[in-house]
Amino acid sequence: MTCAMAGAVEATQIDPATLDDETLRALLEQYAPGAMEQARAWLSGTDPSMLAYRVIPKYECEGDYGCESLPRCQQGYIPAVSHRCIINDCGKAKCPTCPDFVNELLQNIVIRAWCSYVCVKTGTSPPEVVAVGAGAISALRNIYVGPVCMPYP
């Protein structure tokens, strides 16, 4: 979902010099529902037992890519419970686990990096996943936007 959303934003071919954080937020929120549908379509042909949410933080995404480490959902679906989103993956203009068509969309310069999250209800053990989310860092100003969340499952 994160890769598809980043690809949709990249496909707008907006001049990065004109992109501010509000515009980037609006674009991510606009394209999140379509990205979720693309992800669902892709997953329908994938064996679910081969995929699992990683709830172990991938903190290198914070330093290497500029992702926020434990944000709350900021856009899209906001869980009604107290929650934190845990970084589970990140990348620069290429998603190694995404279909090839997504990576073809990520060749623009609007988004420098993407971040994906698993959002869990606070105070639960084992962690109870309540949403999944995506964030992005703009190429020109290094502005972090997100996460835009979708309910899980």
Side-chain angles (χ1 to χ4, degrees), residues 73-92:
C73 294
Q74 299 297 313
Q75 295 169 271
Y77 170 74
I78 309 293
V81 297
S82 178
H83 69 284
R84 285 289 185 191
C85 298
I86 300 166
I87 298 170
N88 71 331
D89 206 358
C90 54
K92 290 184 179 182

Side-chain angles (χ1 to χ4, degrees), residues 133-144:
I137 294 91
S138 66
L140 186 63
R141 296 187 181 105
N142 285 325
I143 299 167
Y144 172 81

Side-chain angles (χ1 to χ4, degrees), residues 3-4 10 23 26-27 36 39 41 45 65 68 71 75 79 93 110 116 133-134 143-144 148:
C3 297
E10 294 291 326
T23 303
L27 286 168
M36 180 59 97
Y65 295 92
E68 288 192 13
Q75 295 169 271
V110 174
S116 66
I143 299 167
Y144 172 81
V148 177

Side-chain angles (χ1 to χ4, degrees), residues 7-25:
V9 172
E10 294 291 326
T12 64
Q13 297 184 352
I14 293 174
D15 179 0
T18 65
L19 191 66
D20 60 23
D21 58 339
E22 288 303 315
T23 303
L24 185 57
R25 271 191 195 89

Side-chain angles (χ1 to χ4, degrees), residues 34-149:
M36 180 59 97
E37 287 309 310
Q38 285 184 28
R40 285 187 180 127
W42 177 70
L43 283 171
S44 69
T46 304
D47 179 4
S49 67
M50 301 301 292
L51 303 171
Y53 284 117
R54 174 186 162 130
V55 184
I56 300 169
K58 191 172 180 181
Y59 289 117
E60 60 267 27
C61 293
E62 184 177 0
D64 294 348
Y65 295 92
C67 301
E68 288 192 13
S69 60
L70 292 169
R72 292 186 177 99
C73 294
Q74 299 297 313
Q75 295 169 271
Y77 170 74
I78 309 293
V81 297
S82 178
H83 69 284
R84 285 289 185 191
C85 298
I86 300 166
I87 298 170
N88 71 331
D89 206 358
C90 54
K92 290 184 179 182
K94 185 174 181 180
C95 172
T97 58
C98 295
D100 289 339
F101 77 90
V102 173
N103 286 316
E104 290 171 16
L105 294 172
L106 296 176
Q107 300 307 310
N108 202 311
I109 58 171
V110 174
I111 294 178
R112 173 178 70 77
W114 54 268
C115 316
S116 66
Y117 297 90
V118 174
C119 305
V120 298
K121 182 177 178 180
T122 56
T124 59
S125 183
E128 179 185 336
V129 178
V130 294
V132 292
I137 294 91
S138 66
L140 186 63
R141 296 187 181 105
N142 285 325
I143 299 167
Y144 172 81
V145 177
V148 177
C149 294

